Amino acid sequence: AAADLGELADIAAARGLRVGYEALASSTHVRSYRDAWEIVRKAARPNLGLVVNAVHSFAADAGLAGLDAVDPARIFLVHIADAPITRIDQRLLTEAFRLLPGQGNLPVADLVAALARRGYDGPVSVEVFNEQIRALKPALIARDAMRALDLVEGADSAGGDAVRDIA
């Protein structure tokens, strides 16, 4: 996987592009950001980085401690969302039951705070896959997403502006 991603990163570099690699909790082989980071690290290309996804990270039981091993400059994107803690298929959970940050049971604010403490200052997206949310008007979704990020920011145990600093 590292060799293949390295080759892809070389092709992308020739075009001035970066490649972000994301683990999926429902994957057979690369389920957590920890596994993905090892592959990115082994590929050793400056334009190859990690995509950290809150829902996939917690669904794969990756926890937050592994973030200490990740170079924050090599995190290219963070997807923030929440989900209920439930015993359903991980693919179904990650593809259809995501919620706005703060609406579920995942420690999303802890993830945001941990990334901020590590020095991550790159882009953050709210990535919610949920048919009920998709049925709303885009402007309402955007307002609700910003409100959710504000709530996550207020829940930051350090009391700082972790989400604003990251976003």
Side-chain angles (χ1 to χ4, degrees), residues 1-154:
D4 289 345
L5 277 174
E7 187 175 331
L8 176 64
D10 292 342
I11 293 167
R15 293 168 174 77
L17 301 173
R18 298 186 326 162
V19 175
Y21 185 54
E22 178 179 2
L24 302 179
S26 57
S27 174
T28 302
H29 301 288
V30 183
R31 299 188 63 241
S32 76
Y33 71 84
R34 290 177 181 198
D35 299 332
W37 172 243
E38 282 307 307
I39 294 168
V40 167
R41 190 184 58 72
K42 286 178 184 175
R45 301 301 197 285
N47 68 319
L48 176 62
L50 191 62
V51 175
V52 175
N53 183 304
V55 174
H56 284 293
S57 295
F58 294 121
D61 294 324
L64 300 176
L67 288 172
D68 291 339
V70 178
D71 176 358
R74 299 290 298 282
I75 300 174
F76 288 176
L77 177 62
V78 175
H79 292 305
I80 299 292
D82 212 331
I85 294 177
T86 181
R87 289 188 159 169
I88 64 172
D89 178 74
Q90 286 181 340
R91 184 176 311 275
L92 183 60
L93 174 70
T94 60
E95 292 178 1
F97 286 93
R98 292 189 196 189
L99 302 168
L100 291 171
Q103 292 181 338
N105 305 105
L106 302 179
V108 178
D110 294 342
L111 173 65
V112 169
L115 289 168
R117 278 192 302 274
R118 293 278 303 130
Y120 178 71
D121 65 354
V124 173
S125 74
V126 175
E127 186 181 65
V128 177
F129 300 132
N130 182 310
E131 290 304 316
Q132 291 175 339
I133 293 173
R134 282 187 188 163
L136 301 172
K137 293 181 179 180
L140 180 59
I141 296 170
R143 277 195 307 274
D144 285 350
M146 287 305 299
R147 189 174 316 129
L149 286 174
D150 286 342
L151 288 172
V152 169
E153 178 183 77

